[in-house]
Amino acid sequence: FLGVMSLFALGNLILRETRTELKRTYNAPVIFVLLAFFATLTGIAGNIRIDPNNLLYFAIYFVPAILIVLAIVYQDFNMKILMRLSRPVPSLHNFLQRQFEDLTSNTLVAFVNHVNRLHPLLQYINSNETAWNIILIHCANHDNKDDRDRFHEIKEAIPYLQKSGAFPHFKIHPVYKTFPFGPEAIKEITKEYKVRPNRILIGAIHKFHAFDYDELGGVRIVF
């Protein structure tokens, strides 16, 4: 618990430097965040000093849990290794290949507004997701102005990226929507493509947006 609390404070400090554009409902002074961070670290050190066995119990719970998490996060990588090792056994190899195809055929939906965010988005998906079927949604501007020029830039950049050798395994489907991005757009997309909100990726929302993150139904902020 104290470790998790320490990570909250550490994450706050990191986001201050790396995600300055994030819309924030609350702003904690840096000194308070640092005090909280060192207080929880002191609590961890105190627990270990009181009884060193506390560190052993932590390891007993933590190590298996982190191994399970890593196995899930890198399941596509693990599956590739298993397929390579199973080549001498055709029946097992074919079974694993079918499982791998099912794993990568899942659909992800991602909202993208600028062509310069396209590569970071695809890089994130390539590094952290198993789905290869990607629907890229570009919405009309927040003030309801038509914004098809940006969409065409995004659409035209995709084949050039893939011809250059970047993400050739992805099946990318760019889609333009006439409504602006927001909670209603998320609801519409989940119904149309039958995806859960946690399969929808977005970038940071800005101060001019009239809504906050908790109104978006659990989408993931990835860039």
Side-chain angles (χ1 to χ4, degrees), residues 1 4 34 36 44 50-51 54 58 63 75 87 101 113 126 128 144 147 154 157 171 174 180 193 206 211 215:
F1 174 77
V4 170
L34 289 171
I44 292 171
I50 290 168
D51 185 354
N54 287 330
F58 169 77
V63 173
Q75 56 185 318
R87 281 175 183 165
E101 289 170 359
N113 194 36
N126 192 50
N128 298 281
N144 290 318
D147 193 23
I154 294 167
K171 296 176 183 177
Y193 295 103
H206 301 283
F211 49 86
E215 299 175 58

Side-chain angles (χ1 to χ4, degrees), residues 54-68:
N54 287 330
L55 187 60
L56 174 62
Y57 298 143
F58 169 77
I60 291 171
Y61 284 100
F62 179 77
V63 173
I66 202 66
L67 289 175
I68 292 170

Side-chain angles (χ1 to χ4, degrees), residues 4-23:
V4 170
M5 293 298 100
S6 300
L7 290 175
F8 276 126
L10 183 62
N12 183 291
L13 294 170
I14 293 171
L15 288 173
R16 285 172 183 272
E17 295 298 321
T18 61
R19 303 295 294 276
T20 55
E21 75 282 5
L22 278 175
K23 183 178 181 180

Side-chain angles (χ1 to χ4, degrees), residues 136-141 144-152 173-179 193:
L136 289 181
I137 306 291
H138 180 79
C139 288
N141 217 330
N144 290 318
K145 289 182 179 178
D146 198 343
D147 193 23
R148 294 181 188 272
D149 288 342
R150 284 185 183 176
F151 172 69
H152 287 304
H173 314 279
V175 178
Y176 181 82
K177 294 296 182 182
T178 55
F179 45 74
Y193 295 103

Side-chain angles (χ1 to χ4, degrees), residues 108-112 121 125 134-138 199-202 223:
L108 272 177
V109 175
F111 284 84
V112 61
L121 170 64
I125 294 172
I134 303 163
I135 299 171
L136 289 181
I137 306 291
H138 180 79
R199 301 291 294 170
I200 298 177
L201 313 180
I202 69 167
F223 65 96

Side-chain angles (χ1 to χ4, degrees), residues 191-205:
K191 291 178 183 176
E192 181 176 353
Y193 295 103
K194 296 180 174 59
V195 294
R196 300 186 303 275
N198 66 353
R199 301 291 294 170
I200 298 177
L201 313 180
I202 69 167
I205 62 176

